[in-house]
Amino acid sequence: MISLDTARELEPYQDQPAQLPAAANGKVGVLRMGFERRGDRTILDGLYRQSPLLVQRALYWDEEMPGLPCVMILTTSGGVLQGDRLRIDVDMAPGSQAHLVTQAATKIQEMDANYGTQIQTFTLADDAYLEFLPEPVIPYRGSRFVTDSQVRLPESATMLYAEVLQPGRKYYRDGELFAYDLFSSTLRAERPDGGQLFVEKFVVSPGRFEVARTGVMDHFHIFGNVVLLTSPERAARVFDRTSTPVWDEETPLASAVSRLPNDAGLIFKVLGQETEPVRAAVRAFCVAAREEVTGRTFPPAFSWR
């Protein structure tokens, strides 16, 4: 069982909330999902949910991939609260496909004690295909959050994993740029036999280390990170389409793609000052990845106007 409570970056935040102790009833969210191929579509054939995490049902709204179950992860608490301990486990059977999103941005609420954690495990069988594309994460002032994601998959399977990190409530009152205490994210991948592919971890502590400096975020505010885990042949095709770096002073926007070690796939990073250009760059990479892996594209982006 993975536990994040002993992570080094959490040492200063071991005090207990006055309202309700960490990991108390109501603060341990659990979500387990299993997907299985049935005929020309994949079904959500296994589901366990414990508040504040919630999934209601799989929907089939993607016209480009009508057999793809689209599952929305919800929270009943309005975000991550101090003392929350969340866990999400996803199991993909052979040949299954799924698209996972969140209902809205993940809001890491203000904290005056302790921290919140989230552990995610994704297990893919042969020829499985998984898109995990949650909405951006918004860490509020004084928040502390640590997440650890582990992916286990064979070379024939594909996972598209994305995260977009905002600097806080940028336009709240007088602005809240990098006012959170801690944001830590780890992603690790391995083969079914336990062979390690790679580990990426970044720890952001704006109060200890300046974020708005050269070599870190500089004048950028939004960070997008996309990992494509797939076979070397598929990764090569996506790389050929997306390998041109972008440096756009007018938007502004910067992005580039790199190869992961051990022929694990690709990693795409993008920086911007506003959320929508970063989301658009993330989407463009994901479109290229889906097209090269499945031969299908994404449906048109929904317009709110």
Side-chain angles (χ1 to χ4, degrees):
M1 180 68 70
I2 302 174
S3 174
L4 300 181
D5 295 316
T6 58
R8 181 183 303 175
E9 58 266 34
L10 290 174
E11 290 179 358
Y13 310 115
Q14 295 297 325
D15 51 336
Q16 288 293 332
Q19 303 86 351
L20 192 65
N25 289 337
K27 300 188 75 63
V28 179
V30 179
L31 184 58
R32 299 192 186 103
M33 292 177 284
F35 294 90
E36 182 176 326
R37 187 69 178 241
R38 297 280 180 87
D40 60 354
R41 65 163 51 182
T42 296
I43 65 166
L44 176 61
D45 74 326
L47 175 61
Y48 175 84
R49 55 199 180 191
Q50 178 174 301
S51 182
L53 293 178
L54 175 66
V55 157
Q56 294 176 315
R57 60 180 297 181
L59 303 174
Y60 296 86
W61 49 257
D62 192 322
E63 295 180 354
E64 298 293 336
M65 296 182 68
L68 181 76
C70 302
V71 176
M72 183 172 292
I73 300 172
L74 304 99
T75 174
T76 60
S77 61
V80 178
L81 308 178
Q82 58 191 25
D84 278 0
R85 303 292 186 265
L86 309 177
R87 183 179 184 103
I88 298 174
D89 297 311
V90 180
D91 185 63
M92 304 290 298
S96 61
Q97 300 177 325
H99 175 88
L100 304 182
V101 295
T102 53
Q103 74 193 92
T106 298
K107 304 169 185 67
I108 316 298
Q109 300 288 343
E110 291 190 42
M111 300 179 183
D112 57 23
N114 209 253
Y115 49 86
T117 68
Q118 180 163 290
I119 295 170
Q120 302 177 134
T121 64
F122 305 93
T123 304
L124 283 68
D126 290 333
D127 300 313
Y129 176 79
L130 176 61
E131 297 173 347
F132 181 67
L133 308 177
E135 293 295 309
V137 176
I138 308 175
Y140 287 14
R141 182 183 302 276
S143 63
R144 306 91 177 245
F145 181 67
V146 177
T147 178
D148 186 288
S149 301
Q150 180 172 305
V151 182
R152 175 174 288 187
L153 78 172
E155 188 176 291
S156 65
T158 295
M159 179 166 182
L160 192 55
Y161 174 100
E163 55 189 342
V164 175
L165 177 63
Q166 296 191 347
R169 293 171 290 184
K170 184 174 179 178
Y171 298 105
Y172 176 71
R173 295 180 179 173
D174 295 330
E176 195 176 87
L177 292 176
F178 305 113
Y180 54 91
D181 289 344
L182 172 69
F183 182 87
S184 173
S185 177
T186 302
L187 174 64
R188 63 191 79 231
E190 64 183 29
R191 293 300 184 206
D193 62 3
Q196 298 294 312
L197 295 175
F198 76 94
V199 177
E200 182 189 46
K201 179 173 182 175
F202 57 89
V203 179
V204 189
S205 302
R208 298 180 59 198
F209 303 101
E210 178 63 34
V211 178
R213 60 174 174 166
T214 302
V216 187
M217 292 295 288
D218 196 55
H219 63 292
F220 295 107
H221 296 157
I222 315 297
F223 171 61
N225 193 42
V226 188
V227 173
L228 172 63
L229 302 173
T230 193
S231 69
E233 295 79 13
R234 294 163 174 165
R237 295 198 300 268
V238 178
F239 185 82
D240 288 342
R241 289 182 54 175
T242 60
S243 59
T244 303
V246 172
W247 183 266
D248 179 356
E249 289 281 3
E250 184 176 349
T251 302
L253 192 78
S255 67
V257 63
S258 300
R259 293 182 175 90
L260 289 167
N262 299 309
D263 287 328
L266 304 175
I267 187 165
F268 174 75
K269 296 183 183 294
V270 55
L271 297 172
Q273 282 194 346
E274 300 297 335
T275 305
E276 287 312 308
V278 171
R279 285 166 57 97
V282 167
R283 175 183 170 82
F285 181 84
C286 292
V287 167
R290 182 193 274 197
E291 289 178 349
E292 295 301 333
V293 173
T294 70
R296 305 291 184 89
T297 190
F298 272 75
F302 182 79
S303 176
W304 294 95
R305 299 181 181 180

